[in-house]
Amino acid sequence: MGSASMISSRRAFLRSAASIAVVSGAGALLAQPVFASAGKDSAPPPHHDLVDTVPGKKSPNGWSINTAANSGGSVWTRPVPGTAFNVDVAIGEVEIVLVHVIRRFHYEIDTLRPGDVVGFRAASLRRGYELNHASGTAIDIRPGHYPPGVRNGFYPHEVAVIHDILAECEGVVSWGGNFSYPDEAHFAIGVPPTDERMRRVTSKIRGWNSAPGAGAGVIQDLKVSS
């Protein structure tokens, strides 16, 4: 079956599943991404005082390095709406963007399960771009399936989805599949906190999350070469 036919079949399946969910009441998980609002999920946890950062230390993308998650710094365990798992990421704008990436992958590439997404990692033993994990601004999606140094882990239609995600994020997100030494599991914030695109993109995603028929969970009409 051609990749274009695969996308068409997947789109038809998801639309059919969504219709069944509405009728039976069993599809709350599928319906959630269309109607969920990012506002509540993105609220800072209590006692957010940034005490557990490393003074003066930044990850390569310009964000503050933390020593741990859920310890008073900027990195907290946050829910990924529409899935059965959480992820440790920097709260606020970073959270909104990276959770959006995860959700689009979950709905449009393959279903993700607990343990499939790795967020925060301590700075020790991290080098180069991997140090972005220590600021909670990077995620690895199924790193065991897409190991560093290996290309073509995704089918062409899946790469088309990833490129569409990157395009709608307006350069705010970088993908390891575009690195000279590839790491196709790796997605990260590619700009510093001062970049105006962060506010613009997060505002756009918030709008999608609050509007039925928009945002993650809505199958994109992508053009894929066969």
Side-chain angles (χ1 to χ4, degrees):
M1 180 182 294
S3 50
S5 298
M6 293 173 65
I7 293 176
S8 178
S9 298
R10 181 175 177 85
R11 183 182 297 115
F13 170 76
L14 289 176
R15 286 174 177 168
S16 175
S19 298
I20 295 171
V22 171
V23 173
S24 66
L29 186 63
L30 182 63
Q32 183 178 0
V34 177
F35 298 101
S37 170
K40 181 179 179 181
D41 291 339
S42 301
H47 312 300
H48 173 60
D49 52 12
L50 300 180
V51 297
D52 205 4
T53 58
V54 180
K57 297 294 185 180
K58 305 288 185 182
S59 54
N61 57 2
W63 297 76
S64 295
I65 288 178
N66 282 230
T67 59
N70 304 312
S71 297
S74 57
V75 177
W76 294 81
T77 301
R78 306 300 294 141
V80 180
T83 75
F85 60 88
N86 303 317
V87 63
D88 295 339
V89 292
I91 59 173
E93 294 176 340
V94 170
E95 173 193 348
I96 292 171
V97 173
L98 292 183
V99 166
H100 177 73
V101 172
I102 296 168
R103 293 174 68 200
R104 281 204 60 180
F105 190 107
H106 175 74
Y107 287 107
E108 299 176 52
I109 295 179
D110 200 10
T111 301
L112 297 173
R113 297 171 175 82
D116 280 349
V117 181
V118 179
F120 172 83
R121 288 174 173 172
S124 59
L125 303 181
R126 305 291 157 205
R127 297 293 184 271
Y129 69 88
E130 289 188 348
L131 193 57
N132 291 328
H133 283 281
S135 61
T137 60
I139 55 172
D140 287 346
I141 301 180
R142 289 183 175 166
H145 289 71
Y146 313 108
V150 178
R151 291 195 186 277
N152 302 319
F154 291 98
Y155 292 109
H157 69 280
E158 295 172 337
V159 174
V161 172
I162 292 173
H163 286 164
D164 191 64
I165 295 170
L166 299 178
E168 72 182 12
C169 289
E170 303 180 26
V172 161
V173 174
S174 61
W175 176 45
N178 291 328
F179 296 171
S180 57
Y181 181 80
D183 188 348
E184 294 186 335
H186 186 81
F187 297 83
I189 300 299
V191 298
T194 54
D195 195 299
E196 179 61 32
R197 286 173 293 176
M198 283 297 295
R199 285 176 285 279
R200 185 167 67 242
V201 170
T202 53
S203 177
K204 178 169 62 176
I205 294 173
R206 284 191 184 102
W208 289 339
N209 289 340
S210 62
V218 177
I219 304 304
Q220 307 295 315
D221 187 14
L222 304 178
K223 294 181 179 179
V224 183
S225 57
S226 57

